[in-house]
Amino acid sequence: MEKAFPKDIQSLKSIYRFIQRFTKHNRLDPSWINIINLILEELFVNTVKYNPDTSGNVRIRLDACSDRIVMTLTAVNIDPFDITQTEPFDAGKHYQSMRRGGLGIPLVKHLVDDIRYHYNEETRSSTLTLIRHLEDQHVRHSNEQKQ
């Protein structure tokens, strides 16, 4: 499933509905809704927050394969930011600085199994692909649905 959302915080409600349709369509356990919501919300909000003077859409694509969920976010007219290159989270350092925020990207990195990033300077577009493997207990098979 794929859909474009305006680069605006108000789009979050539509993104949540999109994720809910995706999990239902793919017969995923409802517990996946919260995980996907958290990942995509963090990345979408950062895209909006750190590119306030740009317009355009953020395209979100969700794919369910037999053993994984693939989430792809593509945004145009934004500055590059490669989350694969961010420093590992250091709780002690974070606590000592008493800094507010900064926990989202480490949390996203913890929740996914693989992250791929590509930035096209010509179009100023960023594509972030995140892969999360499915555990057997979180997948509903179509045969189980019918019983």
Side-chain angles (χ1 to χ4, degrees), residues 24-37:
K24 189 173 185 177
H25 175 78
N26 288 285
R27 296 182 179 96
L28 296 173
D29 186 281
S31 64
W32 280 104
I33 292 172
N34 292 333
I35 294 168
I36 298 169
N37 276 352

Side-chain angles (χ1 to χ4, degrees), residues 100-142:
R100 205 176 126 191
L103 299 174
I105 296 299
L107 182 59
V108 167
K109 290 171 88 171
H110 177 76
L111 289 173
V112 299
D113 299 303
D114 189 24
I115 302 173
R116 297 178 192 142
Y117 174 79
H118 176 73
Y119 186 77
N120 182 321
E121 289 188 27
E122 187 176 304
T123 61
R124 295 189 68 232
S125 66
S126 169
T127 301
L128 193 58
T129 303
L130 304 104
I131 298 170
R132 169 69 191 248
H133 290 104
L134 298 168
E135 295 90 21
D136 290 341
Q137 70 268 23
H138 290 294
V139 180
R140 285 194 198 161
H141 299 284
S142 57

